[in-house]
Amino acid sequence: MATSKDYWTKRMDGIFDKLDKKEVKLNDELMKYYQDALTDINDKIYKFYDRYGKDNGFDYEEAIKQVRETDLSDYAKRANDYRKGLQMTQKRLRGLMRNTLRRRLTVLNF
């Protein structure tokens, strides 16, 4: 006669086997959706560059080059603006801390 432990071990093994089979099927379905989305995105990117090139008198490769140069220069500008803003914020914070310390020292001196 099978013990309770044997029963539950066999039952869990059966459940895990079913889940493994479902996981393979689900993974295949997800990969199909992923591939479809990837194809759609790549198609839209190609159409964007193609339209941008035609509108501005470039071929496809030149359009990609133009967009990347614009993106990089815009990124560099925004990064520098952020850095400058961060420096100003740190400078203001140090000033506030200095003023707070002065007030505390003044209170302690009285």
Side-chain angles (χ1 to χ4, degrees), residues 18-36:
K18 286 179 185 178
L19 289 175
D20 287 342
K21 289 176 186 175
K22 285 183 179 182
E23 182 180 325
V24 169
K25 184 179 176 184
L26 179 62
N27 191 35
D28 290 343
E29 287 180 38
L30 288 175
M31 286 305 294
K32 182 188 176 308
Y33 287 124
Y34 171 78
Q35 288 297 328
D36 290 346

Side-chain angles (χ1 to χ4, degrees), residues 39-103:
T39 301
D40 184 51
I41 290 168
N42 283 333
D43 185 49
K44 288 178 180 178
I45 290 171
Y46 174 81
K47 287 178 182 177
F48 167 79
Y49 282 121
D50 189 48
R51 184 176 50 239
Y52 177 76
K54 286 179 182 174
D55 290 349
N56 294 291
F58 304 135
D59 63 356
Y60 179 78
E61 287 78 20
E62 183 64 24
I64 291 173
K65 184 179 172 185
Q66 290 287 328
V67 169
R68 285 187 181 155
E69 287 175 0
T70 302
D71 283 347
L72 287 177
S73 65
D74 183 51
Y75 172 77
K77 181 186 177 307
R78 285 187 292 139
N80 282 328
D81 290 347
Y82 175 76
R83 182 181 50 79
K84 289 175 186 172
L86 187 60
Q87 287 173 344
M88 287 302 295
T89 301
Q90 290 173 343
K91 188 176 182 179
R92 288 181 190 139
L93 182 60
R94 281 192 298 268
L96 286 172
M97 291 173 68
R98 209 175 303 123
N99 288 342
T100 302
L101 184 59
R102 280 187 198 137
R103 278 189 235 126

